[in-house]
Amino acid sequence: MSQDLHPQVFEGLERLCAAPSGNGILTAPAFPGIERIGAQFSGNAFEPHRHDTYALGVTLKGVQTFRYRGERRFSLPGQVIVLHPDEEHDGGAGTEDGLQYRMLYLEPSLLLECLEADGVGLPFVDEPVIGDPALAAVLLAALGELDRELDELFVDDFVSRVTGGLSRHVRLPRRPLGGVAWRQARAARDYLEAHATRAVRSGELEAVTGLDRFALSRHFRAAFATSPHRYLLMRRLQQARAMIGAGEGISDVAAATGFADQSHLNRHFKKAYGMTPGQWATLAHKPENRKRISGLRADSKR
């Protein structure tokens, strides 16, 4: 199979694969519950790490390789990658030709809200590399122009179509969703996001939600596929990553986002993203990376 995404598969995206060699990451404007990146790498890019979101992406050029659930995996151009929340993985290029791909990080709560009417839990796709042109097209609709913000109406339809696409690849029956205290879980989430740069105590969340800490932990995990503690940590790291990408000093970022010191930030950042804050700064700051990876609007209109 060719190591380039065939130009007829996704019309208008072929120029995204024609960039010169080099390493870099482009982050797109964020939408609540959704992050998007474009990346270009050679060699091993990410050390083992795990997210608190679904990681859904499409390989554009080269061979993408990663270790996931005890096996080495390979994704070719046009194939979809599905990584589940809190599943450890690494990542890099599988050949010397390098790698280009796009990835979208989707909060599980968006999928659960879509599935609530059906009364079933989150879809688990046990094969992390899928040959599904329809699902790839859905993802690339959100990943095609990373310099644009996502529209709310587009996201509503997008999440519904992603949910359907993932459900097609579920092999085992899904567990019933059960009763999730959505109002209380969302209230806890909003409180954590509003106070992400400081320590939040269990008593505060009990006061906000009216649930005891143990019941809240169960409902929060059911809604967001992670614990309140890890959710708070990941939002803190998310802010830190954005500030580093904007060019702020790492020690200043550590202080501003509630970490004890730069070493504390480094340790958690690497566990969450597979690289140090310094490595992220190097990859995200190069102006040429924006031209190289962004999928310029002019190109997509030709």
Side-chain angles (χ1 to χ4, degrees):
M1 185 179 291
S2 169
Q3 290 187 11
D4 289 326
L5 182 63
H6 194 282
Q8 294 179 348
V9 176
F10 303 111
E11 185 177 359
L13 291 174
E14 64 271 14
R15 291 183 181 86
L16 304 182
C17 302
S21 61
N23 294 345
I25 296 174
L26 174 73
T27 57
F31 184 92
I34 297 176
E35 289 188 77
R36 299 171 292 154
I37 68 165
Q40 178 169 290
F41 288 108
S42 57
N44 294 324
F46 299 98
E47 295 187 23
H49 62 287
R50 58 192 179 99
H51 311 285
D52 66 338
T53 62
Y54 278 84
L56 309 172
V58 181
T59 303
L60 299 180
K61 183 176 182 179
V63 179
Q64 189 166 2
T65 182
F66 55 97
R67 179 164 289 278
Y68 179 80
R69 294 178 66 82
E71 296 183 32
R72 176 60 58 186
R73 319 286 182 154
F74 299 91
S75 173
L76 300 178
Q79 292 184 314
V80 173
I81 293 175
V82 180
L83 307 178
H84 288 266
D86 276 345
E87 290 284 354
E88 187 176 78
H89 58 282
D90 57 12
T95 70
E96 295 181 356
D97 294 330
L99 164 71
Q100 290 184 25
Y101 67 96
R102 302 222 162 174
M103 192 70 71
L104 180 145
Y105 301 94
L106 184 67
E107 284 190 9
S109 60
L110 296 181
L111 295 181
L112 276 173
E113 289 175 355
C114 190
L115 292 164
E116 189 174 10
D118 297 329
V120 294
L122 291 168
F124 185 85
V125 180
D126 56 1
E127 289 296 331
V129 179
I130 302 170
D132 185 338
L135 180 55
V138 170
L139 294 174
L140 288 171
L143 293 168
E145 293 181 288
L146 294 182
D147 54 345
R148 277 191 178 174
E149 295 185 359
L150 296 176
D151 175 82
E152 184 175 350
L153 292 179
F154 168 85
V155 170
D156 292 341
D157 180 63
F158 172 78
V159 172
S160 176
R161 295 173 71 191
V162 167
T163 302
L166 294 178
S167 297
R168 288 197 301 271
H169 296 278
V170 173
R171 295 182 181 180
L172 299 176
R174 276 179 284 173
R175 292 180 299 178
L177 183 58
V180 177
W182 283 104
R183 181 180 62 80
Q184 292 92 333
R186 291 190 186 106
R189 176 196 62 186
D190 293 345
Y191 190 86
L192 292 171
E193 290 182 349
H195 301 87
T197 57
R198 69 167 179 82
V200 174
R201 302 185 65 85
S202 298
E204 295 177 65
L205 294 183
E206 289 179 326
V208 167
T209 65
L211 295 175
D212 70 71
R213 61 195 65 190
F214 305 110
L216 175 60
S217 179
R218 291 194 300 272
H219 286 287
F220 194 95
R221 185 173 289 278
F224 303 110
T226 193
S227 67
H229 175 267
R230 180 157 168 77
Y231 188 89
L232 178 67
L233 173 63
M234 292 302 297
R235 301 293 75 74
R236 192 175 293 175
L237 288 168
Q238 195 175 45
Q239 290 188 30
R241 189 175 66 173
M243 293 172 68
I244 292 168
E248 299 192 35
I250 295 174
S251 60
D252 293 335
V253 170
T257 53
F259 291 93
D261 51 31
Q262 185 170 332
S263 176
H264 189 211
L265 169 61
N266 285 352
R267 184 167 63 255
H268 286 290
F269 195 100
K270 191 172 182 179
K271 287 181 180 179
Y273 300 121
M275 61 177 62
T276 66
Q279 290 171 317
W280 175 265
T282 300
L283 292 169
H285 282 175
K286 295 179 180 178
E288 63 270 23
N289 288 337
R290 181 164 291 273
K291 288 185 177 181
R292 180 181 301 146
I293 306 170
S294 61
L296 296 177
R297 192 171 300 162
D299 280 347
S300 65
K301 291 181 180 179
R302 291 177 188 171

